[in-house]
Amino acid sequence: MATFFGEVLSVYSRAVEDDDEEEELDENEEDKQIRRELEEKREVHLNWTPEVSEVLRSGNKLQCADFILAVGHNAARFLSVYVLTSENWDVVGRASLWNERSRPAAGKSSEDSICVFYRNKDNPSVLICQVTCYIAEDQLFQWAQKVFDCLQHRGLNVTVLSDASVADYKTADYLCSSTAPFLRSLHTTAFSGQPVCQSLEQPNIITGLSAAVLNHCQVHRIAAIAYNCYSDIIGPDSVTMETYKPALTRIGKSIQLDSSPSTDILRKFVKTTDIQSNLYI
């Protein structure tokens, strides 16, 4: 519409405006529904054995004095080779999840899509969890909260073993290849023990599930320590795995390490591949 002075004013119908608002509202509701479905799909699920489920349903929590979490292939395989080879461990639960990089195959239980919980037969207060799958950022807090909601916090000690690349380690000094692998530690204020290695220097940080667990323990005043093993080898490596051994010495008699695992066991968990130079790709 034009005015006397030549201005052009936009004219719109109220009915059209109402239709646009309804379409926008419909789109918002559709977006919310998609978001809810995606959140449900990305939910972390804990599946315990009937015995443990009965304890949790009764309102009680698992009595746990030592919780050992292994994050990464070398950390998880270290426990498989040096701890879980004995028959004193039972599988008591699994955590399953879905994300862009962890997609369980239909009808199959894949090592790369689940986290496994073990409990010591002789000492049920010792719990171990191996995590080799990728856990997305939006699932980290959820994983930590759900797992620790099942555990008794009083008297609980948490030890986290995690893999890290030496390329991510920041230092002012030259780091020669003979130095790796090596351990660095970071612990909560409630931790009163003596770390078996030096603390993680600034500006280095711990990330991923290890950081989420350490943060959860700090907030809830749980004694926890995380050991990062920095290695220059990609994939399972026997030397890197052995570097974790001192990290479990403080637990004492609760964990019995196999000091000299058989060659067959090592071959089972360490896949030997051709070593390639990274100078030429």
Side-chain angles (χ1 to χ4, degrees):
M1 180 179 73
T3 65
F4 178 80
F5 298 101
E7 292 178 277
V8 178
L9 304 179
S10 59
V11 179
Y12 56 87
S13 169
R14 177 64 182 172
V16 174
E17 183 185 27
D18 290 340
D19 290 342
D20 291 341
E21 288 180 354
E22 289 178 2
E23 289 179 2
E24 184 178 358
L25 181 62
D26 292 339
E27 290 177 357
N28 290 337
E29 288 297 329
E30 184 178 357
D31 291 342
K32 290 179 181 178
Q33 180 63 25
I34 294 175
R35 191 177 300 109
R36 283 193 295 266
E37 292 177 356
L38 185 59
E39 289 175 355
E40 291 177 0
K41 189 173 184 179
R42 299 175 70 88
E43 186 176 353
V44 177
H45 299 278
L46 297 181
N47 304 299
W48 300 102
T49 59
E51 178 185 356
V52 175
S53 298
E54 183 63 29
V55 172
L56 297 175
R57 274 197 301 266
S58 64
N60 297 319
K61 295 188 177 183
L62 294 179
Q63 299 297 321
C64 186
D66 288 294
F67 177 46
I68 304 169
L69 173 65
V71 183
H73 290 284
N74 275 306
R77 281 169 169 77
F78 160 72
L79 293 180
S80 295
V81 171
Y82 290 93
V83 178
L84 297 173
T85 49
S86 67
E87 298 179 355
N88 292 333
W89 299 90
D90 285 329
V91 175
V92 294
R94 299 176 187 271
S96 59
L97 53 90
W98 180 96
N99 56 51
E100 294 78 8
R101 291 170 54 183
S102 295
R103 301 182 179 183
K108 295 183 179 180
S109 177
S110 172
E111 179 189 3
D112 293 330
S113 61
I114 56 176
C115 317
V116 187
F117 295 87
Y118 299 86
R119 187 167 61 178
N120 193 292
K121 294 180 181 178
D122 300 330
N123 188 357
S125 65
V126 179
L127 191 69
I128 281 178
C129 179
Q130 292 176 307
V131 180
T132 55
C133 65
Y134 170 76
I135 302 179
E137 289 187 6
D138 61 311
Q139 297 171 318
L140 295 173
F141 173 79
Q142 182 187 163
W143 191 100
Q145 185 177 45
K146 285 192 172 185
V147 170
F148 281 92
D149 279 349
C150 298
L151 305 180
Q152 178 67 45
H153 290 183
R154 180 178 297 177
L156 175 61
N157 292 280
V158 178
T159 302
V160 182
L161 312 177
S162 58
D163 295 352
S165 172
V166 73
D168 297 329
Y169 183 75
K170 300 176 179 63
T171 177
D173 301 326
Y174 173 73
L175 193 65
C176 62
S177 59
S178 61
T179 307
F182 57 89
L183 289 177
R184 289 294 184 269
S185 65
L186 194 63
H187 59 80
T188 62
T189 53
F191 179 81
S192 59
Q194 182 64 38
V196 300
C197 65
Q198 68 184 79
S199 299
L200 186 64
E201 308 92 335
Q202 294 183 349
N204 294 289
I205 59 173
I206 289 180
T207 60
L209 184 60
S210 303
V213 169
L214 209 61
N215 182 69
H216 186 92
C217 292
Q218 176 68 19
V219 171
H220 294 275
R221 300 179 181 178
I222 299 173
I225 184 167
Y227 289 102
N228 256 17
C229 181
Y230 291 90
S231 177
D232 56 351
I233 302 295
I234 300 176
D237 170 61
S238 59
V239 177
T240 302
M241 288 161 48
E242 193 171 358
T243 307
Y244 285 109
K245 289 175 68 174
L248 296 188
T249 55
R250 75 170 189 85
I251 300 179
K253 297 180 180 179
S254 300
I255 296 291
Q256 294 182 353
L257 294 178
D258 186 353
S259 58
S260 56
S262 66
T263 305
D264 293 337
I265 293 176
L266 285 173
R267 286 175 179 173
K268 180 180 179 181
F269 293 101
V270 180
K271 297 179 181 179
T272 304
T273 56
D274 294 336
I275 300 177
Q276 298 180 355
S277 172
N278 60 357
L279 294 178
Y280 305 99
I281 300 178

